[in-house]
Amino acid sequence: MIIYCYIYYKPIIQNAPFRKNDFVSMNYKWGVKDTLENQYDSKTGAYQYVNSQDSTIKKKVFFNNDDVLYIHGKANEIGLWNFPDTIGKKSAKSMAVPRYDMFFKYKEKSKHVVIYGDFDGNPKLLDAAMQMRKVIEETINQAEKRSGK
């Protein structure tokens, strides 16, 4: 049975569309309106956000291998790869609610998801998307603390 499982599942796992070893970068943007003044790019380490005093802070914050592994594992667990490209829709009301833009780039594929805070569809989908947003933000914050800047 073990040999059968190994033979059967090995090609499936190796051909999975989003493998951690193929990870290239992640871009994450968030904010209100169209500007999305808060953003992080894992490739360049560019991290920009607006603090509570409305000042724009710019830093260099890099993920380590554990961070990438954690985000990738959570994306698999939450099911990010099966999310629609847009959760919600842009409307006049959307100009006053948060918007989150996640872009994961792998060697052969990529996944881009935009989430509008006023989404009124499937609550499980919105909950999963908000979980992914929280994972990304917590990981960025921990990487920032490690950098000590």
Side-chain angles (χ1 to χ4, degrees), residues 16-138:
F18 297 97
R19 294 187 303 254
K20 189 261 179 199
N21 292 340
D22 292 342
F23 180 82
V24 174
S25 66
M26 180 206 69
N27 290 340
Y28 176 62
K29 299 176 185 179
W30 69 101
V32 180
K33 303 180 187 164
D34 286 335
T35 56
L36 297 181
E37 60 274 340
N38 304 295
Q39 45 192 295
Y40 176 72
D41 182 347
S42 71
K43 188 172 190 172
T44 63
Y47 180 37
Q48 172 183 308
Y49 62 94
V50 177
N51 67 9
S52 59
Q53 289 85 27
D54 285 335
S55 300
T56 301
I57 309 295
K58 293 182 180 185
K59 297 181 176 186
K60 289 284 187 182
V61 176
F62 292 96
F63 284 163
N64 61 25
N65 285 336
D66 290 340
D67 295 332
V68 172
L69 181 63
Y70 178 70
I71 286 178
H72 181 77
K74 282 296 190 178
N76 281 333
E77 180 183 313
I78 293 171
L80 176 73
W81 318 126
N82 299 319
F83 283 11
D85 293 340
T86 305
I87 300 174
K89 61 184 176 210
K90 188 174 182 176
S91 66
K93 192 170 101 176
S94 297
M95 297 303 258
V97 297
R99 187 175 102 202
Y100 308 96
D101 190 316
M102 302 176 213
F103 181 74
F104 289 83
K105 183 174 181 180
Y106 288 78
K107 288 180 183 172
E108 297 177 11
K109 288 190 160 201
S110 61
K111 180 65 176 176
H112 187 207
V113 177
V114 177
I115 306 162
Y116 290 94
D118 62 343
F119 177 67
D120 62 356
N122 184 343
K124 288 183 181 181
L125 177 61
L126 181 61
D127 183 50
M130 289 297 120
Q131 283 180 29
M132 193 67 222
R133 174 195 63 84
K134 187 175 178 183
V135 165
I136 293 170
E137 289 177 3
E138 287 173 352

